[in-house]
């Protein structure tokens, strides 16, 4: 029987962003929904914080000290969107630890996935920079931990946050030991993530960007997973699959313009889970990224957990207007299949 470990620590609520879409109520809503519904096969577990050494496997040491110093001096801003409060450094270490613990869970409990719930989120944080609400890259830190601790040669990251995972790409793009797949709205923040960004040096061909037009929804995401992600994953044969689980592509999300439904997120989680079962003995770990609607976010997280435990996906909001026509993305998918030799 599959038990999904959900790694959460209240210290992550102490990253105080004030009036900001990325605030503590996001995690509070997820946790209260899990505790209210008590879905079978879901266990909330306390993570331990990442060590400095673990963070430094993904980040420049001076950058880490810079974040620590801003927090120690009472807080400030990395950019207009990216707040550091006095407790943000501690919260960020704990958030990174949630991703690390999720990796360890799926190795220690064969066939059981895990989900880390960090704040702040991470995928816009690069080797020596933070931006876009992100301080440390929880995903990249977890991947580096997995590679060292379990001696992995191939890790697949599936990033379906609505924004391009530019920070994760910055950390992994020179590296064939990580295959990064990012599907995102484009053109949109942060502006990167075009199809021509495919990796650098030894990592050439190991970054797959799928920029999709606004209004893409369940059908476009499913088509992209089937036509790009699945063949790329089968060719790569990962030993671990990681998910940058952002839910801001939901049609209710206030920040972006995609039309994925709660059911749709359950389906994406299902495709990734089937890949993990087929390719790497069910070793699957996710970390939360974005998702800013107070009702759609917890529902989408619960849909993900229900999919991974074989439970029933509840979708209180339904699909985006049923008459809605999604843009035709066949052209861009064909181009990506050609660039990455997937035919
Ligand atoms: Zn996002």
């Amino acid at each position: 029987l599959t038990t999904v470990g959900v790694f959460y620590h209240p210290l992550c609520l102490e990253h105080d962003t004030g009036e900001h879409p990325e605030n503590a109520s996001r995690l509070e809503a997820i946790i209260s929904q899990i505790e209210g519904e008590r879905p079978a096969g879901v266990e909330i577990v306390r993570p331990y914080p990442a060590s400095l050494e673990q963070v430094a496997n993904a980040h420049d040491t001076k950058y880490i000290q810079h974040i620590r110093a801003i927090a120690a001096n009472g807080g400030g801003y990395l950019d207009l969107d990216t707040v550091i409060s006095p407790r943000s450094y501690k919260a960020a270490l704990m958030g990174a630890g949630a991703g690390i613990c999720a990796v360890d869970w799926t190795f220690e409990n064969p066939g059981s996935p895990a989900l880390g719930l960090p704040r702040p989120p991470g995928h816009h944080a690069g080797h020596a920079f933070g931006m876009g609400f992100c301080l440390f890259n929880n995903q990249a830190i977890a991947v580096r931990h997995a590679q060292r601790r379990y001696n992995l040669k191939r890790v697949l990251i599936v990033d379906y946050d609505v924004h391009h995972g530019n920070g994760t790409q910055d950390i992994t793009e020179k590296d064939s030991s990580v295959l990064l797949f990012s599907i995102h709205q484009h053109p949109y923040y942060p502006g990167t993530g075009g199809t021509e960004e495919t990796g650098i040096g030894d990592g050439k061909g190991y970054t797959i960007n799928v920029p999709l037009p606004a209004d893409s929804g369940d059908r476009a995401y499913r088509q992209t997973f089937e036509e790009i992600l699945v063949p790329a994953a089968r060719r790569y044969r990962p030993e671990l699959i990681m998910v940058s689980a952002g839910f801001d592509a939901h049609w209710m999300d206030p920040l972006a313009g995609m039309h994925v439904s709660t059911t749709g997120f359950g389906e994406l989680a299902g495709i990734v889970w089937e890949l993990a079962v087929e390719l790497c003995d069910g070793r699957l770990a996710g970390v939360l990224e974005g998702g800013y609607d107070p009702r759609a976010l917890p529902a989408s997280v619960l849909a993900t957990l229900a999919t991974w435990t074989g439970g029933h996906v509840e979708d209180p909001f339904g699909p985006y207007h049923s008459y809605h026509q999604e843009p035709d993305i066949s052209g861009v998918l064909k181009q990506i299949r050609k660039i990455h030799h997937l035919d």
Side-chain angles (χ1 to χ4, degrees), residues 121-200:
H123 76 152
H124 296 306
H127 177 67
F129 63 87
M131 58 185 273
F133 315 167
C134 302
L135 302 181
F136 298 149
N137 193 309
N138 308 307
Q139 178 65 269
I141 293 166
V143 167
R144 293 301 185 222
H145 165 76
Q147 290 177 313
R148 284 173 177 243
R149 175 135 184 206
Y150 305 103
N151 191 28
L152 305 183
K153 306 284 184 287
R154 295 179 307 281
V155 179
L156 167 63
I157 300 174
V158 180
D159 185 331
Y160 52 72
D161 186 277
V162 78
H163 303 96
H164 175 231
N166 64 309
T168 311
Q169 179 172 305
D170 179 65
I171 295 168
T172 64
E173 67 189 340
K174 298 186 187 75
D175 189 346
S176 63
S177 70
V178 179
L179 175 61
L180 172 62
F181 166 92
S182 179
I183 179 172
H184 40 269
Q185 184 175 334
H186 192 83
Y188 198 54
Y189 184 90
T192 48
T195 55
E196 74 287 357
E197 296 171 26
T198 59
I200 293 172

Side-chain angles (χ1 to χ4, degrees), residues 16 42 109 114 116 153 174-175 189 191 196 220 228 236 245 256-257 279 284 288-289 297 306:
D16 182 1
V42 174
N109 302 279
K153 306 284 184 287
K174 298 186 187 75
D175 189 346
Y189 184 90
E196 74 287 357
I228 309 287
Y236 189 63
L279 300 172
L284 175 63
L288 179 68
E289 302 285 357
L297 172 64

Side-chain angles (χ1 to χ4, degrees), residues 202-223:
D202 287 346
K204 193 85 190 155
Y206 295 91
T207 295
I208 302 177
N209 279 302
V210 184
L212 295 184
D215 300 340
S216 296
D218 293 348
R219 193 171 54 195
Y221 274 73
R222 196 182 319 117
Q223 186 182 356

Side-chain angles (χ1 to χ4, degrees), residues 7-8 12 47-50 93-103 115-118 286-287:
F7 288 89
Y8 162 75
C12 290
Y48 57 82
L93 291 181
M94 187 60 81
I100 289 169
C101 288
V103 165
L115 179 65
L117 298 178
V287 292

Side-chain angles (χ1 to χ4, degrees), residues 61-73 75 78 82 84-86 88-90 92 129-130 134-136:
T61 312
K62 282 193 187 126
Y63 171 70
I64 301 168
Q65 298 310 335
H66 178 60
I67 300 297
R68 190 175 74 160
I70 294 174
N73 289 319
L78 268 195
T82 312
I84 300 176
S85 70
S88 293
Y89 177 71
K90 289 267 183 205
F129 63 87
C134 302
L135 302 181
F136 298 149

